Each structure stands twice: as C-alpha cells, then as structure tokens.
Amino acid sequence: MEEKLRIDKYLWAIRLFKTRSQAGDACDNGKVKLNGNNVKASKTVSIGDVYDVKTEARKWVIKVAGLFAYSEAIKYYEDITPPEALDKITFDAPSFHTGKRLSKIGRPTKRDKRDIDEFLSEE
C-alpha cells in the first residue's frame, strides 16, 4: 500500500523548512511550484515529481525519489538544482532566524535589576 504524503509534510521532513507551518505558508504564498503551477499545502506527493521551491536561503529544484518514514526523510530526495543557480547564492547569514534575541543583549534581567536597585539604594 502506497502511503499518501502531503507536500507541506514532505518539505518539512526533508528539512527545507524548519517547521511544517513554514512549509505550508510557502505553498500558500506561491513559493512551491509543480510544472510551473502553484501547489497547495494539501497536494499529495508522488515519486518522480519535480518541485521548484524558493526558501529564504536559496531556490531548490527537488525531485521526489521516494516516500518514507520521517526519521529517514533526508535520504529520499535528489537536489537537481542547476549549478549556475548555485553560483548566485551567498550563505552569509544563517538560513533560519528563530527570533530569539542574543544573550546578554537588550533588557536587563531580574537579577540585573536587583543589582541596579541595590547599587542605587547604597547612596
């Protein structure tokens, strides 16, 4: 029996997107195409399909090589992106921004506030 697999789950499982919701949003925003046509997140993936996927980091051309258990996802796709497209890519920044601020930068912590209050009250 062939397992049915949605494109948003597939793109998330092969680690093109950090979360499944990001993969679904990419589908909804027209960043995932099959044969030049936009794909909905609920589209069923078939072996041999070739998808054009645009992420923040780069543009991918992905051929589905197999359907899988999620733990082995990374083995079941082929990156067939043309070499000339890879020449245009620069990897200066990390591909995923978590939104978490860097440690020791920004607002003081509760401990910092207590230290400041203690310092000011000693005068």
Side-chain angles (χ1 to χ4, degrees):
M1 179 176 144
E2 186 173 312
E3 179 183 348
K4 291 185 179 181
L5 187 62
R6 295 167 47 116
I7 185 66
D8 61 341
K9 284 184 179 182
Y10 182 79
L11 294 174
W12 163 70
I14 64 172
R15 310 302 190 258
L16 288 189
F17 294 96
K18 189 172 183 179
T19 64
R20 183 173 160 203
S21 63
Q22 286 177 343
D25 290 343
C27 292
D28 295 340
N29 295 329
K31 297 186 188 255
V32 180
K33 298 183 184 286
L34 173 65
N35 300 325
N37 298 321
N38 291 341
V39 176
K40 291 184 178 182
S42 60
K43 167 86 171 95
T44 304
V45 176
S46 299
I47 296 174
D49 287 349
V50 177
Y51 292 94
D52 294 318
V53 182
K54 191 173 186 182
T55 64
E56 287 183 24
R58 66 181 264 200
K59 183 178 178 188
W60 300 79
V61 180
I62 300 296
K63 181 177 181 183
V64 179
L67 302 177
F68 47 81
Y70 292 117
S71 61
E72 299 178 354
I74 204 72
K75 299 176 188 174
Y76 290 99
Y77 78 95
E78 295 176 44
D79 183 2
I80 57 173
T81 307
E84 54 273 4
L86 293 175
D87 294 338
K88 299 176 186 175
I89 300 168
T90 59
F91 293 101
D92 295 336
S95 60
F96 298 112
H97 177 67
T98 62
K100 184 176 178 183
R101 67 180 177 84
L102 299 174
S103 178
K104 310 279 191 253
I105 296 176
R107 296 178 58 181
T109 62
K110 286 183 179 180
R111 182 178 181 184
D112 294 337
K113 176 136 176 36
R114 283 193 298 263
D115 292 342
I116 291 168
D117 289 343
E118 184 181 321
F119 176 75
L120 291 176
S121 67
E122 289 178 357
E123 293 179 355

